[in-house]
């Protein structure tokens, strides 16, 4: 049959020619008037049948598959306007053909699926209003140019030219241009590597370098923009103050007039910003037009012959000697040096980020930011160079402004100094007294004096300062709002709320307004400008470093469409920015670095739940891969031996004490892998593994987690031993929990457990077996309580029921467990097919050892979440051990692993106060000599163990009562060959290899008595120890029945209050006292 999207036009045997339908295939009431963006998934109904292998017997065409064509909406996080989001079919839907599209809970690939954060259905009664978006000209280029053409251009560039000269002023401009151009290239690369959202510079850095550095720069950049508002407003207020002085209309005094005008101005600008981005953009266009007119007015003014009034103020039109005089520097005042001038000028170059800061309001940030930013840098750099050169060729440095300072005759130059003498003017008196009010070095309004019509320059100053102030007033709240929405820092979340169709940060506007007023009250432009230079330079450094770091990590996700950048130029830009920071004001640079380090440390400690695919993550992977490969070329040496542990924990939260014990001596030292062997009927998904890893992280355990499916513990553990690890990072020690129920469990499980220990030795690995008095598996001790998750009303059940054990109140998915004890999620199918009595919980299940409550029958195939102890549950190995003893029974030399583990534990703070006692076996006659020999050996090992006790009475005969207890322990596992023939006995032994024969008891009589005697010694010496570490008995493989071996371990560790760790190395050196 034909698919809804395709029509068969020709059929030749098994082959069909199909034509794509051009009209809409779905009901317009669902998808709107336009056709869907990608072909919908056809129905699974077809003439073909499903074979046993899962393939369809029908021809492989579009009608017999759930596959869909590639579609933009499958990769987008939100749907385009007018559509709701679609999702691609999952592997379960594609592969589970028997369930078909009607499988409960399975997503239909052709069905629209709305998610949180997506746009609402356009057919609703009140559709969301489309926010205002800007192109690259009005949104980026004009905005950046206006922000660069700020107060510095009109009010400080002529003064900087007088101080540094035309040559060094050009150098300052070009240095700034180099830094900003390199930064512009880096911004262009980062902004074209994926869809850019709101947040501007903070968004670019945080999504590239991660939340640690991104959060720091978000705080600094928001603050710098708020201070920049004050800088530009103070520049505007200075111009107004000068006008008031000119017309003798001073309100109070010059300084307070700046403050009054500044506060009034920033209040008006706040009103424009609150009116919305659309009004703000219109205001910026008006400002741009005014500045263009003022530039034309200035350049025309330089061509007009000088009047007598202008000459008195130092303007003589274009003169070659004035150009030559002004080409060199003439430093004056406290800030009269190159870097002092650079620190005052550089804030004018910081406007390159004005467009990127409103990235959320751009139509296409990936196109607008590179194009607009780079063109803005080019045109503004040309304008700065041109103005510096022209005004330095027309105006002398000092002039009195008095019409009476003319020379009597052009040739009467006696006693006259300066270039003005050649043009008939004598400015010597005011120049020598430092009282000149005009000239490049004295008059901030020189451009206004030179221009053809001075009010136009004043209008240009107003437009430049107000536009820059307005741009910064808009940028600071938007960047800060994005930072607050990411919830990296406490308290500031109050400012994350947005209002209106553009989600305007009104609360952020008010905060920026308050900060701006605070700095406006300083009322000194030359003081405010250097403050923000370091903040912007730090931002530039991090932007360039982001680009460099993303490039060198070789991440496949770094694919910027903007190609005109180099990682080395980005690194150069980052280094130069940092160097300039310290050359400008070193103390301010230290403050900035300190703020970054403090905020970085805070975010690193809190570890916010964000995943942005940053280059730091890519770099971590690249470094780990590189070091892992390099490690394979490093030869092993006993000095670098570390116990790299494969811990057979099952679900780690089931055995928290075992996890904490191994973590105590591997954290920060060596490799730890938690291995889980699942049965073939279990189908745990990726989410289960992630939850186990999260549990380990919350418990601050540095461990990997791996899961393997196997028919039994032994085969699964053997596979884990063979495949776990990477290169040299492979386990060399296998850690197991002691099998508490070995006497009640099936003989097959008993055999597998002991065989797992032998398999570890076969793999040349050490073995550690930990026993706790109350057991390790917390799921065995919690009270059982069962409840379904997801029951719907009317008795209908959701598609993913769960069963929860171990809580006295209903369990909820994702809810943390309190101090009441661990909870446990168990597989529903483990009793779904059991006998009626077992399924209803009338008897303990073999896997849990706990009576299940009365539960309804669980459908098969349901998912399982395994959750045991809460991450806050404290075990013995997490408690402070105070001044107790760690008793090490080093009875057999295994290479030193039995000593190394307690040494590593003793380096932990909670174990550091414990006394380590080493017990060794010996003979009564040579006990003292042997004690001194072991003490010497321990001192050369430098372990800090000085207390050695020799046990000469290990070989003594144990008490009869103790022997009787051992015999009773072994009795249920006796072979009881009796009067059987040797052939029958041998056949019985082959059928039941775990059973203990009379011959086994005879052969291992001495060893069995030794274990019984050791138990008596343990009870006598170590009853109150914090931990007992003992050499694990080793026997020939296949020679000792598993029941007898477990009886030895049971005898050794029975009725002991402290934990007992049986350890046996692989008989190779783990310790050495040589230095090579």
């Amino acid at each position: 049959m034909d698919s809804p999207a395709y029509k068969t036009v020709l059929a030749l045997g098994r082959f069909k020619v199909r034509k794509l339908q051009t009209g809409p295939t779905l009901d317009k009431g669902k998808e709107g008037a336009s056709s869907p963006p990608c072909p919908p998934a056809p129905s699974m109904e077809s003439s073909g049948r499903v074979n046993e292998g899962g393939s369809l017997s029908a021809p492989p065409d579009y009608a017999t598959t759930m596959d869909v064509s590639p579609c933009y909406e499958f990769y987008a996080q939100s749907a385009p306007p007018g559509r709701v989001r679609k999702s691609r079919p999952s592997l379960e839907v594609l592969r589970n053909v028997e369930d078909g599209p009607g499988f409960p809970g399975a997503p239909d690939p052709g069905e629209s699926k709305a998610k949180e954060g997506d746009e609402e259905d356009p057919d609703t009664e009140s559709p969301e209003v489309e926010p205002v978006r800007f192109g690259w000209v009005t949104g980026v280029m004009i905005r950046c140019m206006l922000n660069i053409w700020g107060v510095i251009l009109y009010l400080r560039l002529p003064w900087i030219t007088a101080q540094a000269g035309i040559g060094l002023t050009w150098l300052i401009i070009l240095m700034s241009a180099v830094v900003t151009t390199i930064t512009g290239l880096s911004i262009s690369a980062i902004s074209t590597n994926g869809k850019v959202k709101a947040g501007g510079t903070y968004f670019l850095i945080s999504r590239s370098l991660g939340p640690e550095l991104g959060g720091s720069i978000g705080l600094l950049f928001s603050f710098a923009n708020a201070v920049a508002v004050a800088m530009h407003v103070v520049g505007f207020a200075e111009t107004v103050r000068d006008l008031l002085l000119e017309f003798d209309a001073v309100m109070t005094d010059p300084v307070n007039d700046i403050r009054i005008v500044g506060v009034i101005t920033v209040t008006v600008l706040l009103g424009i910003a609150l009116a919305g981005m659309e009004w703000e953009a219109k205001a910026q266009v008006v400002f741009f037009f005014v500045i263009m007119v003022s530039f034309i007015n200035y350049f025309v003014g330089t061509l007009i012959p000088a009047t007598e009034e202008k000459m008195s103020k130092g303007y003589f039109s274009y003169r070659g000697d004035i150009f030559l005089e002004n080409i060199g520097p003439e430093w004056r005042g406290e800030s009269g040096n190159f870097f002092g001038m650079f620190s005052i000028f550089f804030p004018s170059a910081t406007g390159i980020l004005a467009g990127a800061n409103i990235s959320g309001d751009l139509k296409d940030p990936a196109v607008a930011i590179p194009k607009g930013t780079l063109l803005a840098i080019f045109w503004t750099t040309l304008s700065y160079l041109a103005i510096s050169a022209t005004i330095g060729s027309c105006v002398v440095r000092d002039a009195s402004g008095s019409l009476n300072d003319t020379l009597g005759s052009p040739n009467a130059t006696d006693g006259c100094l300066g270039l003005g003498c050649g043009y008939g003017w004598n400015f010597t008196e005011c120049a020598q007294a430092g009282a000149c009010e005009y000239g490049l070095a004295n008059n901030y309004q020189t451009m206004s004096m030179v221009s053809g019509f001075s009010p136009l320059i004043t209008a240009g100053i107003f437009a430049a300062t107000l536009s820059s102030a307005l741009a910064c007033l808009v940028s600071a709240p938007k960047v800060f709002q994005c930072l607050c929405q990411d919830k990296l820092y406490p308290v500031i979340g109050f400012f994350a709320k947005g209002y209106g169709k553009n989600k305007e940060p009104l609360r952020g506007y008010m905060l920026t307004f308050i900060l701006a007023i605070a700095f406006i009250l300083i009322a000194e432009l030359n003081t405010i400008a250097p403050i923000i230079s370091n903040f912007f330079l730090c931002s530039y450094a991090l932007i360039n470093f982001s680009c460099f770091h993303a490039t060198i990590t070789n991440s496949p996700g770094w694919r910027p469409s903007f190609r005109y950048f180099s990682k080395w130029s980005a690194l150069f830009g980052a280094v130069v920015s940092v160097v300039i920071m310290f050359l400008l004001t070193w103390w301010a640079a230290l403050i900035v670095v300190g703020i970054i380090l403090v905020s970085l440390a805070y975010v690193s400690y809190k570890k916010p739940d964000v995943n942005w695919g940053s280059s730091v993550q890519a770099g971590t992977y690249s470094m780990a891969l590189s070091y892992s490969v390099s490690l394979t070329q490093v030869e092993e040496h006993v000095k670098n031996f570390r116990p790299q542990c494969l811990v057979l924990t099952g679900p780690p939260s089931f055995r928290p004490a075992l996890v904490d014990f191994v973590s105590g001596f591997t954290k920060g030292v060596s490799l730890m892998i938690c291995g889980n062997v699942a049965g073939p009927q279990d189908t745990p998904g990726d989410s289960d593994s992630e939850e186990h890893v999260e549990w380990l992280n919350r418990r601050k355990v540095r461990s990997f987690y791996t899961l393997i499916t196997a028919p039994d513990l032994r085969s699964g553990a053997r596979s884990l031993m063979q495949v776990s690890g990477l290169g040299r990072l492979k386990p060399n020690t296998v850690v197991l929990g002691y099998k508490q129920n070995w006497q009640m469990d099936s003989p097959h499980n008993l055999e597998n457990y002991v065989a797992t220990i032998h398999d570890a030795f076969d793999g040349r690995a050490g073995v550690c077996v930990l026993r706790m008095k109350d057991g390790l598996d917390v799921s065995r001790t919690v009270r059982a309580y069962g409840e379904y998750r997801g029951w719907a009303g009317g008795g209908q059940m959701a598609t993913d029921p769960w069963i929860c054990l171990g809580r006295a109140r209903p369990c909820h998915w994702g809810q943390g467990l309190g101090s009441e004890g661990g909870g446990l999620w168990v597989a529903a199918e483990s009793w779904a097919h059991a006998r009626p009595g077992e399924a209803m919980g009338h008897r303990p299940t073999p896997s849990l050892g706990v009576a299940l409550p009365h539960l309804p029958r669980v459908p098969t195939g349901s998912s399982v979440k395994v959750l045991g102890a809460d991450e806050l549950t404290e075990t013995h190995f997490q408690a402070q051990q105070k001044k107790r003893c760690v008793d090490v029974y080093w009875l057999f030399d295994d290479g030193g692993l039995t000593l190394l583990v307690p040494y590593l534990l003793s380096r932990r703070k909670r174990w550091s106060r414990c006394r380590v006692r080493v017990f060794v076996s010996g003979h009564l006659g040579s006990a003292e000599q042997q004690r001194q020999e072991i003490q010497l050996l321990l001192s050369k090992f430098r372990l800090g163990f000085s207390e050695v006790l020799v046990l000469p009475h290990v070989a003594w005969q144990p008490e009869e009562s103790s022997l009787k207890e051992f015999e009773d322990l072994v009795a249920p596992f006796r072979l009881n060959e009796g009067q059987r023939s040797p052939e029958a006995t041998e056949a019985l032994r082959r059928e039941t290899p775990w059973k203990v024969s009379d011959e086994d008891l005879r052969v291992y009589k001495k060893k069995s008595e030794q274990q019984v005697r050791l138990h008596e010694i343990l009870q006598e010496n170590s009853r109150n120890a914090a931990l007992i570490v003992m050499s694990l008995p080793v026997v020939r493989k296949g020679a000792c029945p598993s029941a007898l071996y477990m009886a030895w371990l049971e005898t050794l560790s029975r009725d002991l209050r402290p934990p007992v760790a049986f350890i046996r190395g692989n008989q190779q050196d783990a310790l050495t006292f040589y230095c090579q």
Side-chain angles (χ1 to χ4, degrees), residues 144-374:
C144 288
M145 293 175 73
L146 288 174
N147 213 9
I148 295 172
W149 286 331
V151 62
I152 304 298
L153 172 65
Y154 289 98
L155 299 183
R156 292 297 182 271
L157 185 59
W159 176 73
I160 292 173
T161 304
Q163 292 266 356
I166 297 174
L168 291 184
T169 301
W170 272 43
L171 180 61
I172 289 173
I173 295 171
L174 292 176
M175 282 178 59
S176 302
V178 167
V179 175
T180 55
T181 302
I182 293 174
T183 307
L185 295 175
S186 299
I187 292 173
S188 302
I190 297 173
S191 63
T192 57
N193 189 53
K195 186 176 180 181
V196 178
K197 297 183 179 179
T201 306
Y202 162 70
F203 183 89
L204 296 176
I205 295 179
S206 62
R207 270 54 176 179
S208 181
L209 286 180
E212 294 83 5
L213 283 174
S216 307
I217 209 61
L219 289 174
L220 290 176
F221 197 73
S222 301
F223 179 75
N225 273 280
V227 178
V229 174
M231 182 187 74
H232 295 297
V233 169
V234 168
F236 169 80
E238 279 189 5
T239 305
V240 176
R241 186 268 320 267
D242 292 341
L243 289 175
L244 294 176
L245 289 173
E246 183 179 348
F247 293 99
D248 196 19
V250 178
M251 290 180 283
T252 56
D253 59 75
V255 174
N256 283 325
D257 283 359
I258 292 176
R259 293 168 178 162
I260 295 171
V261 173
V263 171
I264 295 173
T265 303
V266 77
T267 306
V268 174
L269 292 177
L270 177 64
I272 296 174
L274 293 178
M277 287 298 296
E278 191 171 2
W279 284 97
E280 187 265 350
K282 292 178 180 178
Q284 296 284 26
V285 173
V286 173
F287 291 148
F288 182 77
F289 176 77
V290 173
I291 290 177
M292 289 293 100
V293 173
S294 72
F295 280 174
I296 295 172
N297 174 55
Y298 164 75
F299 286 110
V300 170
T302 60
L303 300 174
I304 298 175
T307 63
E308 188 173 350
E309 181 183 359
K310 288 187 176 181
M311 287 183 182
S312 68
K313 295 180 180 180
Y315 171 68
F316 297 97
S317 192
Y318 289 107
R319 305 284 183 174
D321 55 349
I322 295 178
F323 174 79
L324 294 176
E325 176 70 18
N326 289 338
I327 202 168
E330 186 177 314
W331 307 114
R332 301 181 184 184
E334 294 182 359
S335 59
N337 57 74
F338 179 81
F339 286 105
M341 294 300 105
F342 186 89
S343 66
I344 294 173
F345 174 82
F346 189 78
S348 66
T350 58
I352 65 168
L353 299 177
N357 286 338
I358 62 163
S359 55
D361 298 305
L362 301 176
K363 292 178 181 177
D364 190 354
V367 174
I369 293 176
K371 197 172 182 180
T373 302
L374 294 176

Side-chain angles (χ1 to χ4, degrees), residues 175-186 346 536-548 566-581:
M175 282 178 59
S176 302
V178 167
V179 175
T180 55
T181 302
I182 293 174
T183 307
L185 295 175
S186 299
F346 189 78
F536 284 110
L537 278 168
C538 183
S539 303
Y540 291 175
L542 286 176
I543 289 174
N544 287 307
F545 181 74
S546 300
C547 183
F548 167 75
S566 168
K567 59 183 178 182
W568 302 117
S569 65
L571 179 61
F572 174 76
V575 173
V576 167
S577 298
V578 174
V579 170
I580 294 175
M581 280 176 59

Side-chain angles (χ1 to χ4, degrees), residues 919-1031:
F919 295 82
V920 294
S921 58
H923 301 285
L924 187 60
S926 58
E928 182 61 23
Q929 179 183 352
Q930 192 167 4
R931 186 186 66 81
Q932 293 177 359
E933 181 181 340
I934 297 299
Q935 273 187 332
L936 177 63
L937 180 62
L938 293 179
S939 66
K940 288 185 175 293
F941 282 153
R942 305 175 306 281
L943 298 175
F945 304 163
S946 57
E947 190 170 352
V948 178
L949 292 90
V950 180
L951 303 174
H953 45 284
V954 171
W956 292 5
Q957 188 71 15
E959 297 181 2
E960 290 297 329
S961 59
S962 300
L963 284 175
K964 181 65 169 59
E965 289 179 1
F966 177 77
E967 292 172 359
D968 294 341
L969 182 64
V970 177
F973 300 94
R974 292 291 300 276
L975 188 63
N976 295 324
E977 55 267 42
Q979 302 299 322
R980 293 187 180 91
S981 62
E983 293 79 8
T985 301
E986 187 62 28
L988 186 60
R989 293 189 63 175
R990 285 196 299 270
E991 294 175 2
T992 57
W994 63 87
K995 288 195 173 183
V996 184
S997 66
D998 295 339
E999 179 65 15
D1000 294 328
L1001 290 178
R1002 185 188 65 80
V1003 171
Y1004 292 107
K1005 179 181 179 182
K1006 192 69 176 174
K1007 199 171 187 70
S1008 299
E1009 290 178 350
Q1010 185 183 43
Q1011 313 306 325
V1012 176
R1013 177 59 188 150
L1014 280 172
H1015 175 68
E1016 295 175 350
I1017 295 174
L1018 290 172
Q1019 290 283 10
E1020 179 181 348
N1021 296 314
S1022 304
R1023 180 178 295 273
N1024 296 318
L1027 174 67
I1028 299 174
V1029 179
M1030 172 169 284
S1031 297

Side-chain angles (χ1 to χ4, degrees), residues 781-1073:
T781 58
V782 295
R783 191 169 75 87
Y785 184 88
E787 184 195 27
Y788 274 113
R789 169 189 177 266
W791 282 90
Q796 295 181 349
M797 187 180 64
T799 59
D800 56 346
W802 308 82
I803 289 177
C804 174
L805 299 177
R807 303 207 56 178
R809 59 177 184 271
C811 294
H812 299 284
W813 179 253
Q815 179 180 351
L817 301 178
S819 59
E820 331 163 0
L824 168 66
W825 292 83
V826 295
E829 57 262 35
S830 61
W831 62 79
H833 294 101
R835 292 187 295 272
E838 295 176 351
M840 297 304 292
H842 293 169
R843 54 175 294 184
T845 60
S847 60
L848 295 176
V850 16
L852 298 176
H854 292 277
L855 295 171
R857 185 174 296 275
V858 181
T860 60
S862 58
S863 325
V864 177
K865 178 185 178 186
V866 182
L867 182 62
D870 184 81
E871 61 273 10
L872 300 178
T873 303
E874 187 179 84
T875 64
H876 176 82
F877 298 100
Q878 287 184 319
Q880 293 291 336
Q881 300 302 324
K882 301 181 180 178
K883 294 183 178 180
R884 302 174 66 187
C885 293
V886 174
D887 290 346
V888 181
Y889 288 82
W890 195 26
L891 304 177
F892 312 107
D893 194 341
D894 60 347
L897 183 63
T898 308
L899 293 175
L900 183 60
V901 169
Y903 165 71
L904 294 176
L905 272 177
S906 67
R907 298 200 305 182
R908 297 294 174 190
K909 184 177 180 180
R910 58 176 60 97
W911 292 87
S912 59
R913 301 177 64 186
C914 290
R915 213 163 30 103
V916 180
R917 302 188 298 178
V918 180
F919 295 82
V920 294
S921 58
H923 301 285
L924 187 60
S926 58
E928 182 61 23
Q929 179 183 352
Q930 192 167 4
R931 186 186 66 81
Q932 293 177 359
E933 181 181 340
I934 297 299
Q935 273 187 332
L936 177 63
L937 180 62
L938 293 179
S939 66
K940 288 185 175 293
F941 282 153
R942 305 175 306 281
L943 298 175
F945 304 163
S946 57
E947 190 170 352
V948 178
L949 292 90
V950 180
L951 303 174
H953 45 284
V954 171
W956 292 5
Q957 188 71 15
E959 297 181 2
E960 290 297 329
S961 59
S962 300
L963 284 175
K964 181 65 169 59
E965 289 179 1
F966 177 77
E967 292 172 359
D968 294 341
L969 182 64
V970 177
F973 300 94
R974 292 291 300 276
L975 188 63
N976 295 324
E977 55 267 42
Q979 302 299 322
R980 293 187 180 91
S981 62
E983 293 79 8
T985 301
E986 187 62 28
L988 186 60
R989 293 189 63 175
R990 285 196 299 270
E991 294 175 2
T992 57
W994 63 87
K995 288 195 173 183
V996 184
S997 66
D998 295 339
E999 179 65 15
D1000 294 328
L1001 290 178
R1002 185 188 65 80
V1003 171
Y1004 292 107
K1005 179 181 179 182
K1006 192 69 176 174
K1007 199 171 187 70
S1008 299
E1009 290 178 350
Q1010 185 183 43
Q1011 313 306 325
V1012 176
R1013 177 59 188 150
L1014 280 172
H1015 175 68
E1016 295 175 350
I1017 295 174
L1018 290 172
Q1019 290 283 10
E1020 179 181 348
N1021 296 314
S1022 304
R1023 180 178 295 273
N1024 296 318
L1027 174 67
I1028 299 174
V1029 179
M1030 172 169 284
S1031 297
L1032 178 71
V1034 174
V1035 293
R1036 293 183 180 275
K1037 187 177 179 181
C1040 178
S1042 55
L1044 180 59
Y1045 187 79
M1046 291 302 298
W1048 292 344
L1049 300 185
E1050 179 72 23
T1051 300
L1052 284 169
S1053 56
R1054 185 178 54 193
D1055 300 332
L1056 289 174
R1057 183 184 306 168
V1060 180
F1062 297 101
I1063 298 178
R1064 174 61 72 109
N1066 60 359
Q1067 301 303 115
Q1068 295 181 352
D1069 287 347
L1071 295 171
T1072 181
F1073 46 77

Side-chain angles (χ1 to χ4, degrees), residues 751-792:
E751 277 284 287
N752 282 340
Y753 180 81
V754 177
T756 300
I757 297 177
H758 288 294
D759 290 341
F761 288 134
D762 289 342
R764 308 297 296 168
V767 175
C768 175
V769 179
L770 179 67
R771 180 175 188 180
M772 303 285 291
K773 184 175 186 295
D774 297 324
L776 292 168
D777 192 347
V778 298
S779 66
R780 300 178 184 276
T781 58
V782 295
R783 191 169 75 87
Y785 184 88
E787 184 195 27
Y788 274 113
R789 169 189 177 266
W791 282 90

